[in-house]
Amino acid sequence: MRALGLAESYRSGREKSTLAGAVVRADSVVDGLAYGTCTVGGSDATDAVVSVLDDLDRPDVRYVLVGAIAPAWYNLLSLSQIAEAADRPVIAVTFEESGGLEAGIRDAFSGEKRRQRLEQYRSLPDRRELSVNDETVYVRACGLEDDAVDEVVREFTPEGGRPEPIRVARLAARAADEYAVRE
């Protein structure tokens, strides 16, 4: 069984944020990588994730796990659009307790940009706590019932609270950003 983890890395002063996708087997073996970018403060993160999925072209991936719902400074993901494009379940796993993003969106944007982001944020599936290896993570999902979400997240989290596909994708995104800075 394989899952695709997606994570981002951002370096101060850049207009783009790096996305990395990592295909990881349930036994934690990394089985593929792909990269993309999305605009900081933009609205192209969902398209960037779908592009990474298309680039990988991996029909053997059963689940998509994303490590944020608002990468690149409130560039909100549409989990339902990603699930539809991927034709498989999507699980967002985040790692910090939060009162939500509405206040931040209201402070950062005005007019139509604010309205669109709030609408997209409110359309996301509900967020709920999940205990994994004595740690608490927060999950949202499209295409799976809660019990199945819990099983998938735990299956891909051999230790700690960060699922391995997201952990590897985060490392890959940071490494790509570090390399880009040197070029």
Side-chain angles (χ1 to χ4, degrees), residues 35-149:
Y35 293 92
T37 61
C38 59
T39 307
V40 175
S43 58
D44 59 350
T46 297
D47 291 339
V49 167
V50 170
S51 179
V52 169
L53 285 161
D54 290 345
D55 288 349
L56 280 166
D57 191 26
R58 294 292 299 263
D60 56 335
V61 168
R62 291 186 54 194
Y63 308 101
V64 176
L65 284 75
V66 296
I69 59 157
W73 196 64
Y74 300 111
N75 195 333
L76 289 161
L77 295 177
S78 170
L79 301 183
S80 61
Q81 287 179 8
I82 296 166
E84 184 177 325
D87 194 25
R88 63 204 75 180
V90 175
I91 304 168
V93 184
T94 55
F95 309 99
E96 296 177 19
E97 190 172 358
S98 163
L101 299 179
E102 285 201 32
I105 292 169
R106 286 183 191 287
D107 288 345
F109 299 95
S110 62
E112 187 63 16
K113 288 183 178 183
R114 176 191 290 167
R115 188 196 65 72
Q116 288 175 344
R117 279 176 174 76
L118 288 172
E119 183 178 302
Q120 188 166 352
Y121 177 67
R122 291 174 182 149
S123 74
L124 290 167
D126 291 335
R127 182 178 192 235
R128 64 182 180 81
E129 285 187 19
L130 173 63
S131 178
V132 180
N133 299 327
D134 296 324
E135 294 192 27
T136 300
V137 298
Y138 302 87
V139 295
R140 303 172 191 259
C142 284
L144 282 178
E145 297 296 323
D146 288 353
D147 289 345
V149 170

